[in-house]
Structure formats: structure tokens, C-alpha cells
Amino acid sequence: MKIFSAEQIKNWDAFTIETEPISSIDLMERAATACFQWLVKSNLEGKQFHIFCGRGNNGGDGFAIARLLILNSCKTKVYIPQTEIPGSADFQSNLKRLTTANADIHFIESAVSFPAFEKNDIIIDAIFGSGLNRPLDGVFEGLVEHINNSNCKIIAIDLPTGLFADKSSVRNTVIHATHTLSFQNYKLALLLPENELFCGQVHLLDIGLHQAFEETQPADFELIDNALIKSFYKPRSTFAHKGNFGHAALLSGSIGMMGAAVLASKACLRAGTGKLTAYIPKCGYNIIQTAVPEAMVVVAGEDYLLSAPEIENYSAVGIGPGIGIYPSHKKLLEDIFDNVSSPTVIDADALNIMAENKELLKTVPANSIITPHPKEFERLFGKPANDFERLELSLQKAREHNIYIVLKGHYSFISTPQGKAYFNSTGNAGMATAGSGDVLTGITTGLLAQGYSPFESALMGVYLHGLAGDFAAGKYSSEAMIAGDIIECLGQSFNQLV
């Protein structure tokens, strides 16, 4: 799924109107009907609805939703903030249609006109959508603050009023929606953590925009979906043997942190690598041999890793989970980066060591994959002012260092050295648990070892990791699931690709 800018979305509407063909007001009716049907499925009929409509096409959507509610005997009041702007043509047409339905319409001129709400009322925000390009002020700012203080369920149409589609809104006055009903494809703003308070639960409604536009229009961002991952997937030959699927090396663990090594190793094997050699300190030898009997072991240190003998002989190398931060680790990373010519997966403490020794970034093997969480990213590259700047910085650093950056979180963000970027569509809050990142390192290393490209491994890794997390949450709940459950559910993830 491509993620389009506000301007591209406007062009998609126009393309659909011309190509289908369909009139703009009938396309608006299609959007309003999809919203009305969502309201019905959500058992919101019988409530008192307060619908706030701006004077653009978002307001036109609101009028059409109000009319459908009224025609279905729902108690509905409509509010229109007064401005000098007459309103778009479709706004005017839908207002005329609404008046024929004996609607209860109120005009808001100032705070004196703001309505009162009851606790169980439903507020529908159709004031401004994705076309907004400046912060709210005047009566609109006051109205949004009044709505946010209502303690009512708030449903935003397209985007919450005050939220920009393509740039940061952190200092804006914005509707705090309970649900956002957006159309066809995600807008960039809906995928970023800084906007969670504004968007609530996001629901994409298919309104039949013409698919030829998406197929031919380029986009800087895409959402990883099952179809994309299926296009990478390589089914196994009937006569395959373990040598066909690579030999991975994982450098992980230290005293008190051997659980990270166990999780990463198990995940690497579950991801399908033919063989795995775990490089660990001596203190974890009995642990890893007992917990992961399928792995071979090289002892390289007493309480923490000191060396990586013959590390250049593997199909893929992963380093970082649980290795700790020790003075000698700078030299360990230097040796690995000097001796490994193939792409490497770098995570956790390895990233923190690199953050303390920035010159190491220049020696990372080309096309390697780093998997920082937001704090690790900031230690490496600096703290951006907002999530939009974080995306730009991630893309810049991916190009600069010729690496893939997996910025972990909900909708994990993958920057490629080619300048294209992807958001992951799988995963849930239950994966915010100790060891989840170690599992991702193992999966990604295992895929890389099998011959998937760094690009494919990065995208497949986050997708399968998140999908396994979704299966685990379904089985154990998001509260009760642990990192090991993600590994146990990896098989179900792979079965979705067959």
C-alpha cells in the first residue's frame, strides 16, 4: 500500500472522478456511506450525534453523514462555524440536500454559541481534513478545545481537525479523536507515534478510488503488506538440504544477559537458517547448549565476548543482543567490520558501543542492517525535534552510510540507502516486552543467511516478527505474551506466505 501526500490524495480523487467516471458529489456520498456503515456496525445508533462541519469538502462529508443518520431516525444536530468563506461547491450542494431532510442546523459565531454535551453523546469532527495547511486559530481553535473537553466519544472524518497530513503538528491545537475514519490508504501522519493522542484508533474505509492511480503514481513511503512479502518469499525445494540455507553466526550474551543470546539464537533457527554458530562467553556455555541444542557454539571470552575467530566464514553475521558494554568491545566491532565483507545485522549493545565511538559507523559493511529503538537511534544520530524529522534523518543516514535502518516501534520504519522507505503493518503493543528486539535480530540474521537480500531481509524480518507477535497476542493476550511466544508463533507467520 502506497502512502500518498495530501496533494496526491487530492489528485487521486480527481483521477477517480475523471476516469471512473463519477461526479465529485457522488464520490463524497460514497465516502459518507462508508462512514455511516461503520457507525452502524459500531452500534452507535440511538445516540445523540453532534456533527461539526467546516466549509470545505470535509464539511460536505459531514453533511452527507448527518443526512444519512437523520434518514435512519438518529438524533442529529449539525454545527457550522461561521467564516467569510462561502464554502466549496460540494459543501453547498450537500448543505442544500441536508436542509431538505429537516436537519437541526446551528451556526457558530463565537464561544457563546458552543453547544453543551451529555456524557454519552457522539461527536463527529468534519471541520478540516487532509487539506489543512496552517494551525487553527480564532473560533476554530476554541471550538476544538471545547470538543476535547467534552468527555464524549469523538469520531474524526479523514483526519482529526488541526492535524497536518504531511508535517508535524506537535504544537497545534488538534482534535483528540477516539476513532479516525480515513479513506482508502494511510496518510503519513496516521503512522507516527506523536499523533497517537490525536488519532485514537484508525480505521481505513475503502471508497473505491481508482486503482490505476496507485499502480502508476510513485510514492516515497509504502506500507509493508502480505502481498509484498509474498513476492520475496522463496519456497523450499523438495530435495533441499541444510547447506542450501546458509550458516549464520550470532555474537550475543554476557554474564547475566544470556537470555538475549538464547532468544536471538532460537529466532534465527526458527527463521530458517540451515546452521547457526553462537559466539558466546564461557559463562553461558551450559545455558546455550541446553536451551538451544540445535546451535553450534564458539566460546570467545569468559564473562563477555572478547574475540570473533573466523567470523568471515559465515553467510550472515548478527551482533549485539546482550553483549553488554565493555571497553574491549570497540576493538571487537572493529575486527568484525574489518573481516566481514557481507552485510551484518547490528542491534542492542553493539549500537550503543557505536554511539560512543561514532567513527565505527564509517566502517560498517555496506548494506548492513541496524535495528535501533528510538533512544538508540538518538544516541547514534542525534535527537530530532519531532517524528517527521526523525524519518528524514533516518533516510539521510541510510543513504550516507549505505545501510538499512529499521527504526523499531509500532509501524516500524525501514529506511533504505536507495531513498525509499517502508512502514510495517504488523505487530501490537504486547511486543513491548523484554527480548522482543533480540528475536528480531535473530529472525533478520536467519533470513540474511538464507540468501535473502538485505532489503528483503529487513522488510521480511519486521513483517514476520510483527505477524508472529499478532498470533502470540491472540493466543496469550498482549499483556501476557513474552518474547519467547513470538518465536513459537513464527511458523504461523511463514504459513501465511505459502
Side-chain angles (χ1 to χ4, degrees), residues 233-301:
Y233 177 62
K234 302 170 186 175
R236 296 196 166 193
S237 165
T238 303
F239 292 96
H241 56 83
K242 65 184 178 184
N244 296 130
F245 305 113
H247 188 171
L250 271 174
L251 293 90
S252 55
S254 60
I255 190 165
M257 296 288 288
M258 286 307 300
V262 170
L263 289 167
S265 297
K266 282 186 173 182
C268 187
L269 288 160
R270 285 284 189 199
T273 187
K275 294 185 288 184
L276 168 66
T277 295
Y279 281 72
I280 59 163
K282 186 177 180 180
C283 65
Y285 182 79
N286 289 337
I287 295 170
I288 203 83
Q289 291 274 257
T290 303
V292 195
E294 299 89 349
M296 295 174 285
V297 176
V298 171
V299 171

Side-chain angles (χ1 to χ4, degrees), residues 208-368:
L209 294 182
H210 205 291
Q211 286 304 302
F213 183 91
E214 183 171 15
E215 291 166 2
T216 58
Q217 184 75 14
D220 292 333
F221 304 101
E222 281 192 39
L223 190 74
I224 304 169
D225 57 19
N226 191 261
L228 178 61
I229 301 305
K230 273 188 172 182
S231 72
F232 303 154
Y233 177 62
K234 302 170 186 175
R236 296 196 166 193
S237 165
T238 303
F239 292 96
H241 56 83
K242 65 184 178 184
N244 296 130
F245 305 113
H247 188 171
L250 271 174
L251 293 90
S252 55
S254 60
I255 190 165
M257 296 288 288
M258 286 307 300
V262 170
L263 289 167
S265 297
K266 282 186 173 182
C268 187
L269 288 160
R270 285 284 189 199
T273 187
K275 294 185 288 184
L276 168 66
T277 295
Y279 281 72
I280 59 163
K282 186 177 180 180
C283 65
Y285 182 79
N286 289 337
I287 295 170
I288 203 83
Q289 291 274 257
T290 303
V292 195
E294 299 89 349
M296 295 174 285
V297 176
V298 171
V299 171
E302 289 290 328
D303 289 340
Y304 53 87
L305 289 169
L306 281 174
S307 62
E310 300 181 352
I311 198 66
E312 66 275 10
N313 296 329
Y314 297 93
S315 311
V317 174
I319 181 169
I323 64 171
I325 300 175
Y326 297 93
S328 58
H329 279 1
K330 178 187 176 186
K331 177 67 164 57
L332 176 65
L333 289 183
E334 286 174 343
D335 291 345
I336 292 168
F337 296 164
D338 285 345
N339 289 300
V340 175
S341 57
S342 58
T344 301
V345 182
I346 308 167
D347 183 37
D349 288 330
L351 296 176
N352 292 324
I353 294 159
M354 289 168 61
E356 293 181 354
N357 304 275
K358 296 286 199 306
E359 66 274 15
L360 287 171
L361 268 168
K362 298 176 183 177
T363 65
V364 171
N367 294 308
S368 288

Side-chain angles (χ1 to χ4, degrees), residues 46-52 75 77 79 114-124 146-154 178:
K47 303 286 188 180
Q48 171 68 63
F49 288 90
H50 300 268
I51 304 183
F52 293 85
K75 295 178 289 185
K77 294 182 180 180
Y79 306 88
F114 292 170
F117 306 110
E118 299 293 332
K119 180 181 178 181
N120 293 321
D121 290 353
I122 305 296
I123 296 173
I124 294 181
H146 177 70
I147 290 171
N148 285 342
N149 290 328
S150 67
N151 293 319
C152 294
K153 185 173 288 186
I154 303 170
T178 315

Side-chain angles (χ1 to χ4, degrees), residues 394-441:
S394 179
L395 282 164
Q396 174 195 328
K397 293 302 180 181
R399 288 191 296 266
E400 181 181 334
H401 297 290
N402 195 22
I403 57 176
Y404 293 84
I405 301 176
V406 177
L407 183 55
K408 294 183 291 194
H410 191 49
Y411 301 120
S412 289
F413 181 71
I414 301 94
S415 300
T416 72
Q418 296 79 27
K420 191 74 180 285
Y422 297 81
F423 288 91
N424 186 38
S425 62
T426 58
N428 60 84
M431 299 176 73
T433 186
S436 181
D438 304 322
V439 173
L440 176 62
T441 299

Side-chain angles (χ1 to χ4, degrees), residues 76-232:
T76 306
K77 294 182 180 180
V78 177
Y79 306 88
I80 307 170
Q82 287 281 50
T83 69
E84 296 178 358
I85 302 171
S88 67
D90 287 339
F91 167 92
Q92 295 290 351
S93 297
N94 264 321
L95 178 57
K96 186 175 181 180
R97 287 182 177 183
L98 183 61
T99 56
T100 63
N102 297 317
D104 185 2
I105 300 174
H106 304 262
F107 291 92
I108 296 176
E109 297 181 356
S110 67
V112 176
S113 309
F114 292 170
F117 306 110
E118 299 293 332
K119 180 181 178 181
N120 293 321
D121 290 353
I122 305 296
I123 296 173
I124 294 181
D125 161 35
I127 305 172
F128 292 112
S130 56
L132 185 71
N133 55 22
R134 62 185 180 88
L136 302 178
D137 56 15
V139 69
F140 291 104
E141 184 174 23
L143 179 59
V144 166
E145 291 174 345
H146 177 70
I147 290 171
N148 285 342
N149 290 328
S150 67
N151 293 319
C152 294
K153 185 173 288 186
I154 303 170
I155 299 165
I157 307 302
D158 189 27
L159 284 180
T161 289
L163 186 69
F164 297 139
D166 304 319
K167 58 184 179 180
S168 182
S169 307
V170 291
R171 292 181 177 84
N172 290 10
T173 299
V174 182
I175 284 284
H176 294 179
T178 315
H179 300 274
T180 296
L181 308 185
S182 201
F183 303 122
Q184 207 69 36
N185 286 20
Y186 281 101
K187 284 86 173 172
L188 184 56
L190 298 173
L191 298 169
L192 300 182
E194 69 181 36
N195 295 328
E196 181 180 12
L197 175 65
F198 308 140
C199 301
Q201 295 182 40
V202 177
H203 310 271
L204 284 189
L205 306 182
D206 188 343
I207 60 170
L209 294 182
H210 205 291
Q211 286 304 302
F213 183 91
E214 183 171 15
E215 291 166 2
T216 58
Q217 184 75 14
D220 292 333
F221 304 101
E222 281 192 39
L223 190 74
I224 304 169
D225 57 19
N226 191 261
L228 178 61
I229 301 305
K230 273 188 172 182
S231 72
F232 303 154

